[in-house]
Amino acid sequence: WLTGSTLNVYSQIGLVMLIGLAAKNGILIVEFINQLRDRGMDFDEAVIEGAAVRLRPILMTGITTAAGTLPLILSSGAGAETRQVIGIVVLFGVSFSSLLTLFVIPLLYQVLARRTSSPKATQHQLERELEDVGQRA
């Protein structure tokens, strides 16, 4: 819309790629926070630490992907219109989704997962109970 292009097959291919990249980044943050919680870290500390540690890899992925679209956007010649559409969708989409991933995912995790236990909490509890039973026997 901003560039005067239409939503066509090429822009939809770029959108599918964006969905995969944004989902991967979100999964990486949430999984790392869960690992920190499994190690016994406090909930708020785990969210802050997880977002801080994953900041650099997400930024690096976003910047390299955006830089990779520049030749597509700046290209000319036969078929340049189609390459430019994919490049524009990916450039702006990756930039926007990276910012959303870095700020919105930790915020949503903090709001939605606050009252949950760590993913391996049940496993740790069962291991403690088995140790207690083994010591009594």
Side-chain angles (χ1 to χ4, degrees):
W1 177 74
L2 291 174
T3 61
S5 300
T6 61
L7 186 63
N8 56 34
V9 172
Y10 299 104
S11 58
Q12 290 174 2
I13 290 170
L15 289 173
V16 169
M17 185 182 123
L18 283 174
I19 291 168
L21 189 61
K24 176 194 72 88
N25 286 339
I27 289 168
L28 287 175
I29 286 182
V30 169
E31 181 60 29
F32 192 70
I33 293 170
N34 285 338
Q35 288 174 3
L36 293 175
R37 290 180 66 197
D38 286 338
R39 293 182 201 152
M41 189 176 281
D42 179 57
F43 179 82
D44 291 324
E45 288 178 26
V47 172
I48 293 169
E49 178 76 15
V53 169
R54 299 306 308 168
L55 171 71
R56 188 178 348 167
I58 289 171
L59 283 179
M60 288 173 56
T61 301
I63 290 170
T64 56
T65 304
T69 64
L70 292 178
L72 294 172
I73 295 170
L74 301 174
S75 66
S76 61
E81 299 85 19
T82 58
R83 290 190 299 270
Q84 288 172 348
V85 169
I86 291 176
I88 290 168
V89 167
V90 173
L91 174 69
F92 290 105
V94 163
S95 303
F96 186 68
S97 71
S98 294
L99 290 175
L100 282 179
T101 300
L102 290 171
F103 297 108
V104 174
I105 296 294
L107 178 70
L108 285 175
Y109 186 89
Q110 197 164 25
V111 170
L112 298 175
R114 175 161 302 280
R115 292 186 177 88
T116 63
S117 60
S118 120
K120 291 188 179 179
T122 305
Q123 177 184 348
H124 294 308
Q125 181 182 1
L126 288 173
E127 288 172 355
R128 284 192 300 269
E129 289 178 10
L130 284 173
E131 287 176 8
D132 290 344
V133 169
Q135 291 175 355
R136 290 183 198 155

